[in-house]
Amino acid sequence: MKTYGFGVDIGGTTVKLGLFRTDGELLDKWEIPTRKEDGGSRILPDVADSIKAKLEEKGIDGADVQGIGVGVPGPVTPEGVVRKCVNLGWGVFNVEEKLSELTGYPVKAGNDANVAALGEMWQGAGKGAKSLVMVTLGTGIGGGVIIDGHIVAGATGAGGEIGHLPVNDQETLVCGCGKKGCLEQYASATGVVTLTKRVLEASDEPSSLRELTELTAKDTFDAAKAGDALALEVLEQFGQILGKGLATIACVVNPEMFVIGGGVSKAGKIITDVVEKYFIPNTFHACREAQFKMAELGNDAGIYGCVKMIL
Amino acid sequence: MKTYGFGVDIGGTTVKLGLFRTDGELLDKWEIPTRKEDGGSRILPDVADSIKAKLEEKGIDGADVQGIGVGVPGPVTPEGVVRKCVNLGWGVFNVEEKLSELTGYPVKAGNDANVAALGEMWQGAGKGAKSLVMVTLGTGIGGGVIIDGHIVAGATGAGGEIGHLPVNDQETLVCGCGKKGCLEQYASATGVVTLTKRVLEASDEPSSLRELTELTAKDTFDAAKAGDALALEVLEQFGQILGKGLATIACVVNPEMFVIGGGVSKAGKIITDVVEKYFIPNTFHACREAQFKMAELGNDAGIYGCVKMIL
């Protein structure tokens, strides 16, 4: 094992990079813009240049670099092939081979949500666990399944796509994936807004939420904490849908813990409490011991998980 | 690697045993009764005696035995601890340690449905696949999830308990597990009978099924093949529930294939066709390439998977 490694979490707006010691210590982190023009062809060369510059800045000998782990916002096969990252303008190609050519280092690639799960397991909320499912409640829902310390990448790179669990046959709105009634249509930040608008429309009761013009998930959870009856109704619906979704996942992989992250999770304990309330009665009895924890690494989970892949 | 291994699949009525070459060839198989009296305390000594007798019969040197794999009808932790096998009268103890003490060989234990999945992957319908989910449609529903060639045993031994996926909030009947609305209440052999009775009760249409006093799942599927309209309606309901259940599983672990086994699967291609029909629109687009195959090893899947565990 060499002394240094890089974690590179490629997002639609910025690329987050981290220089790590291979014992897990984060030495430096920084960002570069994601240049999506020309089919995203500049993204990996920009990453390679940034890594080279960082090595020069720190006076680190390139021979002492173990490798580079890369997270991308889309499916990645176990062989490192991305299958269209719409957010980056990418088509189908092997990210590992390409970045390895550009840098000369071994490269391992993974889906960003899966990699974040691995990061939380290694240095965050899941430290010490052998298996966990991470649920990132952001604009959409990302998921990562870790079993025996390894990412379940899936046969076509779609392991942990739990935002698209079918949870409602009756839905009329179409999810970004093209289906109707996906988990992320209700339990993501945008999903909570949908639930809130529906609850407000279906009732004549007063609510502090009616005064807001640009409703956010945070508004709903803040109102619930303040005791607003309709916001509490949304919270219950959210818990019922997400708790049952996680109950389903537990019947499949029976994880030691669920780690909840992403913007929505900032609402705190009311989230894990209401999810656990509906998780327990819906899952198989032997799966009920699963712990629920808040993510600890925030936006750094990705770079931690990336570098872990090459250790 | 030594030359021989044993697979021991412990069921509620009989114990199935197999003597294998470690290259995968089944040399001999036989059964002994499962003696459940005295808290099932005679089961493992009976297995040990039977193995010893078989070695003598075949003139095999005990030093040439790699080990014993054991499948049990209940949750088994990764450490080999059974957590109450109600069918066997067992409490909580370490099966691996106990059978190893009795025989002198290394022992690896697993849940019977998980082990059957491993067997199908090794020498059956899943040969050559890296990941699969096996669904055994019998009196209940057993499930086994295999990722990168390894069983997902689960943190508390309940990996692959897909018979207990929550699929119906409105159910009033209680499942054997204590919940209401589990997958196996609709898609197992007994579940198909429930669906059939409900469809017959809700309609005045004629059906060949109305003449039967002791309805079975086979009757329903035979009638569907013969074009009976109500039986076809049951087939659609069955496909919808199971197809959507497997769609959910695919969003979690994105397997290369589903292998369908158990008594209900004997109805043949109408089963996989109707399940796939509802699987595709309900799962995430990147998961739709999953293949659907019929199990090939029948009741021998367990002993194959058992011996595979010790190789």
Side-chain angles (χ1 to χ4, degrees), chain A:
Chain A
M1 183 70 70
K2 297 171 181 178
T3 313
Y4 302 99
F6 287 91
V8 179
D9 187 8
I10 305 178
T13 311
T14 61
V15 182
K16 296 182 180 64
L17 297 101
L19 167 64
F20 289 82
R21 287 181 58 93
T22 49
D23 63 10
E25 189 188 349
L26 175 59
L27 298 174
D28 194 8
K29 61 176 179 170
W30 68 102
E31 295 186 4
I32 60 174
T34 305
R35 292 202 290 167
K36 289 180 285 189
E37 54 269 34
D38 304 329
S41 61
R42 301 182 188 184
I43 298 172
L44 294 182
D46 284 353
V47 166
D49 290 346
S50 185
I51 285 174
K52 198 176 162 203
K54 184 60 63 176
L55 289 174
E56 281 170 17
E57 177 197 324
K58 299 284 181 185
I60 293 174
D61 182 353
D64 211 11
V65 173
Q66 175 75 15
I68 305 168
V70 182
V72 302
V76 185
T77 71
E79 295 73 32
V81 175
V82 290
R83 296 159 56 98
K84 293 186 184 172
C85 285
V86 182
N87 287 347
L88 305 182
W90 285 0
V92 177
F93 71 102
N94 192 310
V95 173
E96 295 178 4
E97 284 175 15
K98 184 71 188 168
L99 189 59
S100 195
E101 263 170 38
L102 289 166
T103 60
Y105 301 118
V107 175
K108 184 75 197 137
N111 168 268
D112 56 359
N114 291 349
V115 163
L118 188 62
E120 285 288 345
M121 177 130 174
W122 184 40
Q123 297 290 345
K127 219 168 172 172
K130 288 182 182 162
S131 63
L132 64 77
V133 173
M134 179 161 176
V135 186
T136 304
L137 306 171
T139 312
I141 293 186
V145 179
I146 312 285
I147 302 293
D148 291 333
H150 298 286
I151 291 171
V152 177
T156 56
E161 280 290 353
I162 63 180
H164 304 286
L165 290 183
V167 300
N168 179 7
D169 282 339
Q170 313 300 318
E171 184 58 62
T172 54
L173 293 179
V174 180
C175 178
C177 77
K179 298 197 297 153
K180 290 175 185 174
C182 293
L183 181 62
E184 80 172 29
Q185 289 185 275
Y186 313 99
S188 65
T190 44
V192 170
V193 172
T194 305
L195 286 183
T196 305
K197 286 180 177 167
R198 288 179 179 177
V199 165
L200 291 176
E201 275 164 28
S203 165
D204 291 329
E205 273 187 63
S207 165
S208 61
L209 296 169
R210 294 194 191 279
E211 295 149 29
L212 302 169
T213 46
E214 289 267 353
L215 198 66
T216 66
K218 181 176 186 304
D219 295 327
T220 299
F221 294 124
D222 284 346
K225 287 177 193 170
D228 185 284
L230 293 186
L232 285 166
E233 164 64 20
V234 175
L235 179 68
E236 289 297 309
Q237 289 187 14
F238 164 87
Q240 196 162 16
I241 294 169
L242 185 55
K244 200 176 141 191
L246 302 189
T248 304
I249 294 168
C251 292
V252 182
V253 294
N254 181 206
E256 204 170 320
M257 97 178 37
F258 287 96
V259 175
I260 316 283
V264 171
S265 73
K266 290 184 183 156
K269 197 164 176 297
I270 59 164
I271 299 288
T272 43
D273 283 353
V274 78
V275 169
E276 214 172 339
K277 171 179 168 186
Y278 289 100
F279 170 80
I280 289 173
N282 277 299
T283 204
F284 186 60
H285 52 78
C287 303
R288 286 179 192 155
E289 292 165 29
Q291 297 174 64
F292 284 80
K293 291 198 176 177
M294 286 296 176
E296 292 177 1
L297 301 177
N299 289 333
D300 292 344
I303 53 174
Y304 275 96
C306 285
V307 81
K308 178 70 173 110
M309 286 193 294
I310 51 106
L311 299 185

Side-chain angles (χ1 to χ4, degrees), chain B:
Chain B
M1 182 71 71
K2 296 171 181 178
T3 313
Y4 302 99
F6 287 90
V8 179
D9 187 8
I10 305 178
T13 311
T14 59
V15 181
K16 296 182 180 64
L17 298 100
L19 168 64
F20 289 82
R21 288 179 59 91
T22 48
D23 62 11
E25 190 188 350
L26 175 59
L27 298 173
D28 195 8
K29 61 176 179 172
W30 68 102
E31 295 186 5
I32 59 173
T34 305
R35 293 202 288 167
K36 291 180 283 189
E37 54 267 34
D38 303 330
S41 62
R42 300 182 188 184
I43 298 173
L44 293 182
D46 285 352
V47 166
D49 291 346
S50 186
I51 285 174
K52 197 177 163 203
K54 184 59 64 176
L55 289 174
E56 280 170 16
E57 177 197 324
K58 300 283 182 184
I60 294 172
D61 181 354
D64 211 11
V65 173
Q66 176 75 14
I68 305 169
V70 182
V72 302
V76 184
T77 71
E79 295 74 32
V81 175
V82 291
R83 294 159 58 97
K84 291 187 186 173
C85 286
V86 183
N87 288 347
L88 306 180
W90 285 359
V92 177
F93 72 101
N94 192 310
V95 173
E96 295 178 3
E97 284 176 14
K98 183 72 189 166
L99 188 60
S100 194
E101 263 171 37
L102 289 165
T103 61
Y105 300 119
V107 175
K108 183 75 196 137
N111 169 268
D112 56 0
N114 290 349
V115 162
L118 189 63
E120 285 288 345
M121 178 130 173
W122 185 41
Q123 296 291 344
K127 219 168 171 171
K130 287 181 183 164
S131 64
L132 64 77
V133 173
M134 180 161 176
V135 186
T136 303
L137 306 171
T139 311
I141 293 186
V145 178
I146 312 286
I147 302 293
D148 292 333
H150 298 285
I151 292 171
V152 177
T156 55
E161 281 289 355
I162 64 180
H164 303 287
L165 291 184
V167 299
N168 179 7
D169 282 339
Q170 312 299 319
E171 184 58 61
T172 53
L173 293 178
V174 179
C175 178
C177 78
K179 297 197 297 153
K180 292 175 183 173
C182 292
L183 181 62
E184 80 172 28
Q185 289 185 275
Y186 313 98
S188 65
T190 43
V192 171
V193 172
T194 305
L195 287 183
T196 306
K197 286 181 177 166
R198 287 179 178 179
V199 166
L200 291 175
E201 274 166 27
S203 164
D204 291 329
E205 274 188 61
S207 166
S208 61
L209 296 169
R210 294 196 190 280
E211 295 149 28
L212 302 169
T213 45
E214 288 267 353
L215 197 67
T216 66
K218 181 175 186 306
D219 295 327
T220 299
F221 293 125
D222 284 346
K225 287 177 192 169
D228 185 284
L230 293 186
L232 285 166
E233 164 64 21
V234 176
L235 180 67
E236 289 298 309
Q237 289 188 13
F238 164 87
Q240 196 162 17
I241 294 168
L242 184 54
K244 199 175 142 192
L246 301 190
T248 304
I249 294 168
C251 292
V252 182
V253 293
N254 181 207
E256 205 171 319
M257 95 177 40
F258 287 96
V259 175
I260 316 282
V264 171
S265 73
K266 290 184 182 154
K269 196 163 176 302
I270 59 165
I271 298 289
T272 44
D273 283 353
V274 78
V275 169
E276 214 171 339
K277 171 179 169 185
Y278 288 99
F279 171 79
I280 290 174
N282 277 300
T283 203
F284 187 59
H285 52 77
C287 303
R288 286 178 190 155
E289 291 164 29
Q291 297 174 64
F292 284 80
K293 291 197 175 178
M294 285 297 176
E296 292 177 0
L297 300 177
N299 289 334
D300 292 344
I303 54 173
Y304 274 96
C306 285
V307 80
K308 178 69 172 111
M309 286 192 294
I310 52 105
L311 299 184

